[in-house]
Amino acid sequence: MPQTQMGVVRWVTSPGRVVARILPADDSELDNPAWTKFLIPPDNPALELVKVARPAITLIGQTRIFLYGISLTTGGPALGCTFPDPGNWNKNANRIEAIGAGQNGWSGIFEPIGASGGGGGGGAYGFGVNVPTNLPTGYTVWPTQGAPYGGLVCIWGSFAYSGAGPGIQGPGVVYAELAYGGQNNSAGSGGLQFYPSGYRGGSGGNGVGSDAFNTPGGGGGGAGGPGGAGGNGGAATTITFGAGGTANGGVVAGGFPANANGNTGTEWGSIAGCGSGGAGSINRLNNAGGGAFYGGGGGGGAVGFSPAGPGGGGGDGLIVITYTPLPPGMQAQVIA
């Protein structure tokens, strides 16, 4: 059938807040009752499937689902969400991909000693092919975070979301680490860990500790992607801003010139892609460039006379699920 509709999972109480998108193999899949609800933490409203118009896509015979980071109305991210059984899951024909959230860039500091901000790190990229997931399953997608330490992950196949390493690895699991660390003129580190396969994110570029009249900020790091690791953001000097790091093994250009936002790739069509890092600010009166969605690190703010310039925002994490749906009736046979 013509692919003229898209299933969109939205907040029931806030229809403008999209937390997932479903690109079905054909329109009949939208009538699958398994998609009517997503289970998320109890202090959130239920989710329901609605139809909205969309252009045709090129995923012939496949379903693709995007899961976005959710910020709770009570503060903080939604952790340990549940993904339902769609009723046509194919354990022998699927690909799960995750991008860790990027960091915000650091703002310039005017007092007590001037320092321009370092760039935020970019998120790692993890993927698995024909992942043996048992559905329903747990997942977490982090919005952009200023993670102070490593080990936080965007994860599929588990209710765990921290402590990346052997403790949460196993069949059915895919994850990518968030960017973390850094402070003031020290840049954030790109996400390093991924499972079962993948690439690291790029680190941000350092700012400069200086009492100079105007000191530019460092560039944000880019996200890893299917084509390779994210690039590091450029370090600032007393006269030069740091450019944003590339994403997806250099495929996606970093933010440039000064104050420019990062760029979003087209790895999953026009809806979502790997985000590169934002450029550092050249002047305290301008915001630094934001890290692009998904997973890009924000650029660092400049410093001069008070107030110092703000850093750029980072890109949220993302999970992308692509699979070839089983024909009607086949799911029960496979389970049996």
Side-chain angles (χ1 to χ4, degrees), residues 97-103 121-127 141-142 151-155 164 174-180 189-195 197-203 221-231 246-249 268 273-275 294-297 315-320:
E97 301 170 274
I99 296 180
Q103 285 181 305
Y125 166 82
F127 75 96
V141 184
W142 291 81
L152 300 180
V153 291
C154 287
I155 188 167
V174 176
Y175 66 69
E177 187 180 28
L178 281 62
Y180 62 93
S189 297
L192 296 175
Q193 302 189 68
F194 45 80
Y195 181 83
S197 301
Y199 299 98
R200 62 163 291 167
S203 295
T246 60
N248 191 21
W268 301 285
C274 301
Y294 289 86
D316 291 353
L318 180 71
I319 290 178
V320 182

Side-chain angles (χ1 to χ4, degrees), residues 3-16:
Q3 296 184 23
T4 57
Q5 298 289 319
M6 174 173 62
V8 179
V9 179
R10 300 179 185 269
W11 295 110
V12 172
T13 57
S14 178

Side-chain angles (χ1 to χ4, degrees), residues 56-160:
I57 58 173
T58 57
L59 290 169
I60 305 300
Q62 291 184 308
T63 290
R64 176 165 287 164
I65 302 170
F66 299 89
L67 299 176
Y68 305 116
I70 308 171
S71 296
L72 303 181
T73 56
T74 53
L79 305 174
C81 300
T82 299
F83 187 89
D85 185 345
N88 58 9
W89 179 253
N90 192 338
K91 66 179 182 180
N92 297 315
N94 65 75
R95 181 182 177 94
I96 310 297
E97 301 170 274
I99 296 180
Q103 285 181 305
N104 297 333
W106 294 95
S107 298
I109 302 297
F110 180 68
E111 295 286 353
I113 299 176
S116 63
Y125 166 82
F127 75 96
V129 178
N130 296 340
V131 179
T133 301
N134 292 319
L135 296 169
T137 192
Y139 77 94
T140 293
V141 184
W142 291 81
T144 183
Q145 297 289 307
Y149 51 83
L152 300 180
V153 291
C154 287
I155 188 167
W156 164 270
S158 173
F159 290 103

